[in-house]
Amino acid sequence: MRMKSLGRSGLKVSVVGLGCNNFGMRIDQAATDLVVAKALDQGITLFDTADAYGNKGGSETMLGKALGARRKDIVLATKFGLPMGEGDLMKGASRRYIMNAVEASLKRLGTDYIDLYQVHFPDPETPIDETLSALDALVTQGKVRYIGSSNFAGWQIAESWYIARELGTSKFVSAQNHYNLLDRKIEQEVVPAAKAYGASILPYFPLASGMLTGKYRRGADLPNDGRLTVWGERGKQMLSDANFDLVEKLTAFAEARGHSMLDLAFGWLASQPHVASVIAGATKPEQVEMNVAAGAWELNAEELAEVGKISFRW
Ligand code: NAP
């Protein structure tokens, strides 16, 4: 397994990570145990969850149980900020909320530290200096090792860096945003900002929820238990003709070089210097195995340029 540095930090993460939002939502504890065991076995070290995943807490609880004593061997990333209950005091990025949220996450995860604690969404009602100083206090206390942003715009990444410098607090080392071969919008503002301010991109929805795995084919029956099948209307939007047009071109590119669409979805992201780890979700251990193998394809400059042209559609 290839390792990369996470932003401007000394932390190394596996280039293929595991997204854990299926735990407690699509799959139960027994299936989670199998997925996590396979990920550990395959050398995955970055596990990404959030307090809200799995119906408010289920994913963290299941991940903590599945890891057990292996928790010390991995980089555990979680997030806070989405509503965890009713009312204004149960969400956001205020000092009050963060101090409560971190304790709840630590308890559910069954650990006394979080390696990467991420702001799930920008909180327009809390000054970013309050959020940064609260997170810095957690770093000082040893409850959190590194901090990251998620769903921040480019200007918010830049603003956070300057305010952290002014306050002398920890800086965000990662930016988790929607990024895959069907959706490259973050290359306009977020990627340049993350590069300039020392944050790695952690792309979410790297497989476009399965559209980039090769298991959905135009005109063919949908797989029974695929996410885009069970999502109904939302899934249909992803399975559009425009997306199939692009997936078919990308598949032809990959197959001409002896690879699959899945290899290209991982390999293209993993080959970008600004991407530290491809945190794809999985519902079965076989998927984890395929995903780790796919992440091994390192595209050369010519291949990256060609794929860049094929998938460009801003
Ligand atoms: P994704 O990685 O694009 O898609 C994952 C899904 O694709 C799996 O659940 C599985 O679904 C299918 N799949 C995976 N590997 C496969 C394979 N080898 N063959 C066939 N199908 C395969 O989307 P995601 O899991 O939602 O996103 C990744 C992670 O990003 C999440 O787990 C979460 O940690 C994070 N995330 C963050 C945010 C944010 O706002 N920060 C938002 C969304 C996600 P089925 O088996 O069900 O078809």
Side-chain angles (χ1 to χ4, degrees):
M1 174 69 76
R2 223 162 6 117
M3 304 292 282
K4 284 192 176 188
S5 295
L6 189 65
R8 200 177 164 279
S9 85
L11 185 65
K12 302 272 187 219
V13 291
S14 54
V15 76
V16 176
L18 185 69
C20 301
N21 67 357
N22 288 312
F23 306 169
M25 186 171 67
R26 294 268 288 132
I27 61 174
D28 62 12
Q29 184 72 56
T32 297
D33 290 348
L34 294 176
V35 167
V36 170
K38 179 58 80 178
L40 291 166
D41 178 57
Q42 294 283 307
I44 287 180
T45 63
L46 179 62
F47 291 71
D48 179 77
T49 184
D51 53 5
Y53 295 165
N55 198 16
K56 301 184 174 54
S59 172
E60 286 186 334
T61 304
M62 288 188 185
L63 177 60
K65 283 193 186 139
L67 287 169
R70 298 294 305 275
R71 184 268 168 268
K72 64 181 184 329
D73 305 329
I74 64 116
V75 173
L76 187 49
T78 192
K79 316 181 194 81
F80 66 90
L82 285 180
M84 289 297 283
E86 296 295 314
D88 285 347
L89 295 178
M90 292 301 289
K91 63 177 183 187
S94 69
R95 172 179 289 274
R96 181 188 192 280
Y97 183 70
I98 290 173
M99 294 301 164
N100 290 338
V102 75
E103 297 301 335
S105 283
L106 289 169
K107 195 167 170 202
R108 282 188 295 264
L109 288 162
T111 183
D112 53 10
Y113 68 99
I114 291 163
D115 293 291
L116 179 66
Y117 202 34
Q118 303 158 102
V119 188
H120 209 146
F121 280 88
D123 176 357
E125 296 181 21
T126 301
I128 190 68
D129 44 325
E130 176 177 334
T131 304
L132 285 164
S133 72
L135 290 172
D136 193 58
L138 297 180
V139 173
T140 305
Q141 291 166 17
K143 291 179 180 170
V144 165
R145 302 294 197 241
Y146 299 88
I147 61 170
S149 69
S150 172
N151 296 301
F152 275 37
W155 70 267
Q156 290 168 316
I157 292 171
E159 181 196 40
S160 304
W161 190 91
Y162 276 100
I163 292 194
R165 190 176 71 165
E166 194 177 298
L167 298 174
T169 64
S170 306
K171 299 186 175 81
F172 293 130
V173 296
S174 59
Q176 188 174 135
N177 288 67
H178 190 169
Y179 192 31
N180 60 46
L181 276 167
L182 294 178
D183 191 335
R184 295 174 48 201
K185 286 193 285 296
I186 69 161
E187 289 176 13
Q188 297 174 62
E189 299 278 347
V190 173
V191 170
K195 278 184 182 169
Y197 296 103
S200 286
I201 301 291
L202 294 176
Y204 75 70
F205 289 148
L207 302 176
S209 292
M211 184 67 183
L212 293 170
T213 62
K215 72 180 173 188
Y216 300 95
R217 302 262 169 186
R218 199 192 316 246
D221 288 341
L222 296 178
N224 280 339
D225 61 346
R227 183 191 285 184
L228 297 177
T229 314
V230 298
W231 268 0
E233 271 313 306
R234 185 176 167 197
K236 271 192 204 141
Q237 284 171 19
M238 184 62 77
L239 300 161
S240 66
D241 277 332
N243 282 345
F244 273 121
D245 289 346
L246 180 46
V247 168
E248 284 163 9
K249 284 184 202 149
L250 293 167
T251 305
F253 172 92
E255 288 178 354
R257 288 155 184 83
H259 286 282
S260 65
M261 182 62 243
L262 183 79
D263 293 344
L264 183 58
F266 272 93
W268 178 77
L269 282 171
S271 301
Q272 309 286 342
H274 51 271
V275 170
S277 182
V278 184
I279 48 163
T283 53
K284 301 176 187 76
E286 308 84 81
Q287 291 179 346
V288 177
E289 210 161 342
M290 290 165 76
N291 297 349
V292 169
W297 185 11
E298 289 186 64
L299 280 76
N300 62 35
E302 214 175 292
E303 289 168 333
L304 283 173
E306 181 69 21
V307 176
K309 260 190 258 160
I310 299 172
S311 61
F312 183 85
R313 53 176 192 175
W314 294 343

